Amino acid sequence: MIPAHDLTGMILAGGEGRRMGGRDKGLEPFAGLPLVAHVAQRFNGRVAELLINANRNADAYGLFADSVIADAEGGFKGPLMGIYSGLRAAKTPWLLVAPCDSPALPDDLVARMVAGIGEHDIGVAFDGERLHPVVALLRTALADDLAATLGEGERKIDRWYARHAWCKVDMSDCPDAFANLNTEEEKFRLEAALAPKTKPATP
């Protein structure tokens, strides 16, 4: 098992939010809090340090993490660049990443990812049908290899994972937890689905 003091958490919030009209997705309100706050709750007290990878609005994101880091290279080069930036910034042997736009992630995400990685170098959440490559636990010693891979122009996360000892972490009991929000419509639909059901008044 990986103890909390060997684990850094990181929320990926460095995208352009193109399908939300260019807005900063992680700061979009959801059930009374910014989206990023819901994801941060999954890490609180379970990791040595929580980072947020963001390329704008660092002050706003700083309210929800120990540190905010920008991509190591500018130009919005995608989540693999965000992961590399986290691997490079982490001071622990392990980094657990999650996206800022998945507010329904399991409350015990950290424990389940740690329990599921076994002897592998990378563990990727699997909902029974699909992999979720931006919900992943990685050895930070992979930073140099990823730097070389990015230098070759690679941007596909799954192709980089395939070069290493990786495994699926079974999350098939809660596939809906990995819903990610790319549009206003998706946000409102999930917000309604997660809202507490109002009980009818008793006579």
Side-chain angles (χ1 to χ4, degrees):
M1 294 292 285
I2 303 165
H5 62 76
D6 281 345
L7 183 60
T8 298
M10 186 176 72
I11 302 171
L12 292 165
E16 294 179 273
R18 279 176 288 186
R19 283 185 280 182
M20 275 208 182
R23 300 202 300 277
D24 198 337
K25 248 198 305 191
L27 299 175
E28 285 289 297
F30 182 90
L33 292 169
L35 276 172
V36 71
H38 295 274
V39 183
Q41 288 170 356
R42 275 57 178 180
F43 290 97
N44 288 345
R46 300 174 177 97
V47 294
E49 184 178 26
L50 179 58
L51 311 175
I52 292 177
N53 167 233
N55 293 308
R56 48 186 169 158
N57 299 315
D59 288 346
Y61 280 116
L63 299 174
F64 304 102
D66 298 303
S67 185
V68 178
I69 60 166
D71 282 350
E73 293 181 20
F76 294 99
K77 293 184 177 174
L80 198 55
M81 179 62 72
I83 290 172
Y84 166 65
S85 306
L87 291 175
R88 198 178 72 165
K91 305 178 185 75
T92 59
W94 292 93
L95 177 73
L96 176 58
V97 299
C100 68
D101 59 356
S102 293
L105 287 169
D107 288 333
D108 59 351
L109 176 71
V110 174
R112 295 182 65 161
M113 293 299 292
V114 165
I117 195 166
E119 298 299 315
H120 299 86
D121 295 327
I122 301 171
V124 184
F126 178 65
D127 69 10
E129 292 187 7
R130 295 180 53 232
L131 284 168
H132 295 275
V134 291
V135 182
L137 178 59
L138 310 97
R139 288 190 192 273
T140 53
L142 296 171
D144 288 347
D145 181 86
L146 182 49
T149 301
L150 289 166
E152 295 162 4
E154 181 62 80
R155 294 293 180 267
K156 294 284 188 182
I157 296 179
D158 52 355
R159 286 206 291 252
W160 180 66
Y161 287 168
R163 293 167 50 160
H164 299 281
W166 75 280
C167 68
K168 299 174 181 177
V169 178
D170 183 17
M171 300 276 187
S172 57
D173 61 317
C174 55
D176 294 343
F178 296 90
N180 64 307
L181 308 180
N182 290 306
T183 66
E184 282 282 327
E185 183 183 0
E186 289 172 354
K187 188 179 79 161
F188 292 139
R189 192 184 308 134
L190 184 60
E191 202 168 25
L194 294 179
K197 301 293 185 285
T198 304
K199 293 181 179 178
T202 48

